[in-house]
Amino acid sequence: MKANSKILQRVDMLREKINYHIYRYHVLDDPEIPDAEYDRLMIELRQLEQQYPDLVISNSPTQRIGATPLSAFSQVRHEQPMLSLGNAFDDEEVVNFDRRIRERLHTDHVEYVAEAKIDGLAISLLYENGELMRAATRGDGMTGEDVTHNVRTIDAIPLTLRGSGYPKRLEVRGEVFMSRAGFARLNAHQQKKDEKLFANPRNAAAGSLRQLDPKITAQRPLSFYCYGVGVAEQGVLPKGHYQVVQALRDWGFPVQKEMRLLKDIHACLAFYKQVLAKRDALAHDIDGVVYKVNNLEQQRALGYISREPRWAIAHKFPAQEELTKVSAIDIQVGRTGALTPVARLEPVQVGGVTVTNATLHNESEVLRKDVRVGDIVIVRRAGDVIPEVVSVVLSQRPQKTALFVMPDCCPVCNSKVIKSETVSRCSGGLICLAQRKEGFKHFASRQAMDIEGFGEKLIEQLIDNDQVKTVADLYYIKREVLIGLDRMAEKSADNVLAALEKSKQTTLPRFLFALGVREVGVATARALANHFGSIDKVMNADFDALIKVPDVGPIVANHVMDFFSDERNQKIIQQLIDAGLTWPDIEVNTDSGHFPLAGNTYVLTGTLMTMTRDEAKQQLQALGAKVSGSVSAKTTAVIAGDKAGSKLTKAEKLGIEVLDESGLVELLGSHSL
Ligand code: IVH
């Protein structure tokens, strides 16, 4: 069918709109419409193009994925070599870099641009008349590989430039990378499909870009930031690096938020400290910062030495991956009996902190990585993720190492270990001292019964001396018993008793959470309490009633039933109530009572100390609040943990309320827990 002019106009309008929303999303980081609306525009454009194939153009936003996989990559010779950067590891080397520059330029004063050094892969993008013609990897700096078909699938990279004034031939350079969240999602997906896992976001980005089939690349969460220009013909560019990058932004390229124009090298050193402090809170890995002379005339005068520019330097951060030796693999027994292998490591500095342990998650993980005692391993610590063993350096494996085996009996209580595909569990239940201790710690913890001063040491002594068997026994402890314990004076014994007494006035969600039913976290406990209103109703609920509760699926429903049908647990609950634990029952079916934070939107940023961001999110959502990823005028409050970054700045700019972690805890606590 031939398209009439109305159809033509509609297709043009859709392409323009879609490109505009891609720009809002990837460049301005300020989407104007919800994803679903964007999807509708794409669907409409796709339908029209299917109906009128004559209207398809290669740079239409629907044409990001090419039709056929390649059989090999072809080589691209860079018209201007892609250089690397010299490194500085301390302030002194940076100051010397600045001194050399000022001496060569015979000037006292040099302006710098400071940027984050993104840990990804360098890419060259060639545009002719504003259309993306070719994308190439850096390769050895002189010759790279043609990865156009893959790069076209990255939404953050424009196929057509926006605005005007760009040179007719323009080569834009920058970094393709994967966010930490994208990397975690990709690896989880790979694991599910039993496919190869990537060691870190950088490797994942590299692996994704070197796919012969662009359909695979299209499914990978790749991003891009531009940081400079190579070839520029038939047109003029601004005279400073900073201004060039601002122009690139106007033409549709994402620019990192960390980039600053600074008056001298001292400001650069201060910048280094600021970025290092917020490194863990960033969405992606960075391995340092880069300082570049801003004035392009001065850059040309300085030139290059052995493939490195004299006008730029990378100031490196402490590495996020290091080598160390596995001295032992211990087994930890958790509250629910799950056995977790933990690698004990020779102490090593990773990303600025000393690492001595790394979780190995479970048996299949240890076997997949084949970690053995005596091995040299790569340890990684990035973002707020706990340290991980990435892989073993097999070439350095000593002779006579033994394959890891999960014990058949619990290392603490010797009960039989029951193994499933992913978890091995001690069958000892409360016989197992480890499970008992963890259960007590959980029971006394801040979000559960909140028994102040009831720490690990005290719990261990009470259990080891056999003075308490179940958590109910805590409320029957005699003052003399406490005073008889190590490092327990009369005064502290009285404090403990007072804390126990105080904890008796509690709430139903806290009590349900404290019982430690498998997979019943704070949010589920709250949902159960809100739904049923009283402990009796929760205890008597059958499967059908349980799965009606928001947040409760078949697995959790079964755990809840198993727990409450166990007579030992029923007895403990009765003893607790007899000891004087009380809470107000909850009136069910009143909407306001269920969702006290309904209508409020929160943004979480930075690292929280007492819970993960995910836990905080779940708890806020359980109270009816929305949790959003970006700050806008509609945000009720921003919750800023440690090392909060740009979201905090934006909140302050917009005059939005900011809560710190204690503010969050208070907010959650004041609503029903
Ligand atoms: S400028 C001649 N800026 O670091 C200057 N590079 O070691 C060329 N990189 O190959 C690079 N972030 O892959 C520059 N803001 C940034 C960067 C950056 C990451 C990478 C890039 C380059 C390598 C140099």
Side-chain angles (χ1 to χ4, degrees):
M1 229 197 296
K2 222 105 197 88
N4 60 27
S5 68
K6 227 173 115 194
I7 302 283
L8 256 160
Q9 262 179 17
R10 180 86 192 149
V11 165
D12 273 351
M13 187 277 281
L14 283 167
R15 285 182 187 145
E16 208 171 290
K17 262 197 174 172
I18 290 168
N19 284 332
Y20 169 74
H21 291 301
I22 289 182
Y23 170 73
R24 296 281 315 204
Y25 186 92
H26 289 284
V27 181
L28 301 186
D29 197 15
D30 187 16
E32 219 175 54
I33 55 170
D35 291 359
E37 180 58 26
Y38 173 84
D39 293 343
R40 273 192 283 276
L41 296 172
M42 278 295 267
I43 289 168
E44 188 186 345
L45 179 58
R46 247 191 223 113
Q47 277 170 352
L48 286 173
E49 288 181 348
Q50 247 164 32
Q51 223 174 333
Y52 306 100
D54 286 357
L55 297 187
V56 177
I57 54 168
S58 71
N59 280 351
S60 168
T62 57
Q63 304 298 305
R64 283 192 173 263
I65 310 177
T68 42
L70 298 179
S71 52
F73 296 104
S74 52
Q75 303 252 302
V76 173
R77 205 171 159 77
H78 298 298
E79 287 172 53
Q80 279 182 19
M82 290 182 80
L83 303 162
S84 58
L85 292 166
N87 290 323
F89 293 93
D90 57 34
D91 287 10
E92 194 185 332
E93 289 178 84
V94 174
V95 169
N96 287 338
F97 158 79
D98 170 62
R99 188 178 34 74
R100 287 193 302 269
I101 286 175
R102 285 185 296 105
E103 279 170 9
R104 267 186 182 266
L105 295 175
H106 306 290
T107 172
D108 297 338
H109 195 136
V110 176
E111 203 177 40
Y112 291 99
V113 176
E115 305 165 12
K117 187 166 187 293
I118 318 285
D119 206 1
L121 300 88
I123 204 91
S124 143
L125 308 168
L126 182 65
Y127 289 82
E128 284 175 4
N129 298 313
E131 303 290 324
L132 175 65
M133 303 306 284
R134 196 193 64 204
T137 61
R138 175 171 179 271
D140 62 4
M142 306 307 280
T143 311
E145 280 175 331
D146 186 329
V147 287
T148 314
H149 64 308
N150 285 338
V151 163
R152 287 173 56 92
T153 69
I154 304 174
D155 282 342
I157 294 180
L159 299 179
T160 307
L161 300 186
R162 297 177 58 77
S164 58
Y166 41 78
K168 280 202 162 146
R169 259 186 115 234
L170 176 68
E171 182 199 359
V172 175
R173 292 178 175 182
E175 201 82 351
V176 167
F177 63 96
M178 197 178 283
S179 70
R180 289 171 183 154
F183 164 71
R185 253 185 289 130
L186 172 60
N187 257 359
H189 181 77
Q190 294 285 102
Q191 183 145 32
K192 227 189 235 158
K193 292 195 311 179
D194 236 349
E195 282 182 23
K196 178 181 157 257
L197 298 190
F198 295 99
N200 54 45
R202 204 196 106 83
N203 287 1
S208 302
L209 211 52
R210 291 200 76 267
Q211 289 289 333
L212 290 168
D213 183 355
K215 282 200 190 64
I216 299 181
T217 312
Q219 291 160 7
R220 302 282 172 83
L222 294 173
S223 306
F224 174 78
Y225 283 137
C226 69
Y227 55 62
V229 162
V231 176
E233 290 166 3
Q234 303 180 56
V236 273
L237 287 171
K239 294 196 181 332
H241 170 67
Y242 190 80
Q243 291 74 15
V244 167
V245 174
Q246 296 313 307
L248 291 177
R249 187 177 145 100
D250 292 340
W251 294 329
F253 294 95
V255 176
Q256 54 163 287
K257 290 189 197 65
E258 281 65 41
M259 187 176 288
R260 298 280 181 282
L261 181 59
L262 300 174
K263 67 176 197 311
D264 60 22
I265 205 70
H266 303 291
C268 291
L269 293 174
F271 172 85
Y272 175 91
K273 288 207 186 85
Q274 281 161 20
V275 178
L276 182 56
K278 66 177 177 195
R279 179 190 202 183
D280 283 352
L282 293 180
H284 51 79
D285 284 0
I286 60 176
D287 55 349
V289 295
V290 185
Y291 312 131
K292 299 172 182 173
V293 170
N294 187 46
N295 184 315
L296 297 179
E297 198 50 57
Q298 289 181 331
Q299 283 193 5
R300 271 186 287 276
L302 288 161
Y304 303 87
I305 179 164
S306 66
R307 293 209 184 177
E308 286 171 9
R310 284 202 187 86
W311 45 264
I313 198 162
H315 191 177
K316 302 282 277 203
F317 285 159
Q320 285 179 316
E321 288 185 2
E322 290 290 352
L323 292 177
T324 188
K325 190 168 162 183
V326 178
S327 49
I329 299 178
D330 287 351
I331 307 291
Q332 270 175 4
V333 185
R335 174 166 61 83
T336 60
L339 305 190
T340 309
V342 177
R344 305 289 177 208
L345 306 168
E346 284 185 359
V348 62
Q349 288 278 318
V350 189
V353 304
T354 309
V355 173
T356 52
N357 304 309
T359 174
L360 292 167
H361 302 288
N362 53 46
E363 182 177 26
S364 56
E365 181 85 356
V366 189
L367 295 179
R368 190 176 60 74
K369 291 178 178 163
D370 190 15
V371 182
R372 305 182 187 192
V373 176
D375 272 341
I376 301 296
V377 290
I378 300 174
V379 189
R380 174 178 167 83
R381 194 194 75 90
D384 40 20
V385 183
I386 48 175
E388 272 214 300
V389 171
V390 174
S391 58
V392 173
V393 185
L394 281 178
S395 61
Q396 292 190 41
R397 173 166 280 172
Q399 285 178 339
K400 288 204 190 135
T401 54
L403 202 70
F404 170 80
V405 267
M406 195 57 135
D408 291 323
C409 295
C410 171
V412 177
C413 72
N414 220 23
S415 300
K416 201 167 156 359
V417 168
I418 297 166
K419 296 185 184 181
S420 77
E421 217 173 288
T422 48
V423 215
S424 303
R425 222 176 268 283
C426 160
S427 61
L430 291 179
I431 299 168
C432 178
L433 282 192
Q435 290 187 52
R436 226 191 285 169
K437 283 177 188 169
E438 292 305 315
F440 271 70
K441 277 190 228 164
H442 173 80
F443 183 81
S445 68
R446 208 177 38 78
Q447 300 199 70
M449 299 308 294
D450 194 17
I451 312 174
E452 228 170 285
F454 224 88
E456 195 165 332
K457 288 264 151 26
L458 177 55
I459 290 170
E460 289 193 352
Q461 282 192 69
L462 287 171
I463 292 177
D464 288 340
N465 299 344
D466 216 14
Q467 269 137 352
V468 288
K469 285 212 165 50
T470 75
V471 288
D473 297 341
L474 287 177
Y475 290 97
Y476 297 90
I477 281 187
K478 297 266 173 315
R479 188 166 180 268
E480 307 82 78
V481 170
L482 285 174
I483 294 173
L485 296 175
D486 241 17
R487 280 185 294 167
M488 180 70 75
E490 291 200 10
K491 175 119 184 19
S492 15
D494 287 335
N495 287 344
V496 169
L497 289 172
L500 277 164
E501 199 53 39
K502 185 168 160 222
S503 74
K504 287 181 182 173
Q505 306 292 326
T506 185
T507 66
L508 183 56
R510 276 183 182 276
F511 181 68
L512 282 171
F513 175 64
L515 291 174
V517 184
R518 258 174 73 188
E519 303 209 20
V520 175
V522 173
T524 311
R526 199 192 300 266
L528 287 167
N530 280 339
H531 188 85
F532 292 108
S534 74
I535 186 74
D536 290 343
K537 294 216 174 90
V538 179
M539 291 177 79
N540 293 324
D542 62 12
F543 185 84
D544 291 340
L546 284 165
I547 55 169
K548 289 209 183 85
V549 181
D551 207 32
V552 173
I555 297 177
V556 177
N558 278 322
H559 287 321
V560 173
M561 290 203 306
D562 286 350
F563 185 90
F564 289 113
S565 61
D566 187 327
E567 278 175 25
R568 291 173 302 180
N569 292 333
Q570 293 170 4
K571 193 169 150 207
I572 293 172
I573 292 170
Q574 194 52 53
Q575 286 171 339
L576 286 166
I577 294 172
D578 292 345
L581 261 67
T582 59
W583 53 84
D585 279 348
I586 294 172
E587 210 175 302
V588 292
N589 296 331
T590 55
D591 277 355
S592 58
H594 281 184
F595 301 115
L597 295 183
N600 292 349
T601 304
Y602 296 91
V603 174
L604 293 158
T605 179
T607 313
L608 299 171
M609 298 297 157
T610 57
M611 59 187 111
T612 64
R613 282 226 290 267
D614 229 35
E615 284 163 353
K617 182 173 168 182
Q618 278 187 21
Q619 293 194 45
L620 286 165
Q621 286 172 340
L623 290 168
K626 264 205 208 142
V627 177
S628 157
S630 58
V631 182
S632 75
K634 294 192 197 102
T635 309
T636 312
V638 168
I639 294 155
D642 197 30
K643 297 179 182 163
S646 61
K647 289 178 192 167
L648 175 57
T649 326
K650 186 158 180 195
E652 282 162 352
K653 218 164 70 191
L654 294 178
I656 284 163
E657 186 186 1
V658 176
L659 297 176
D660 62 5
E661 186 158 356
S662 59
L664 168 68
V665 171
E666 207 172 296
L667 175 72
L668 295 171
S670 67
H671 292 290
S672 102
L673 248 201

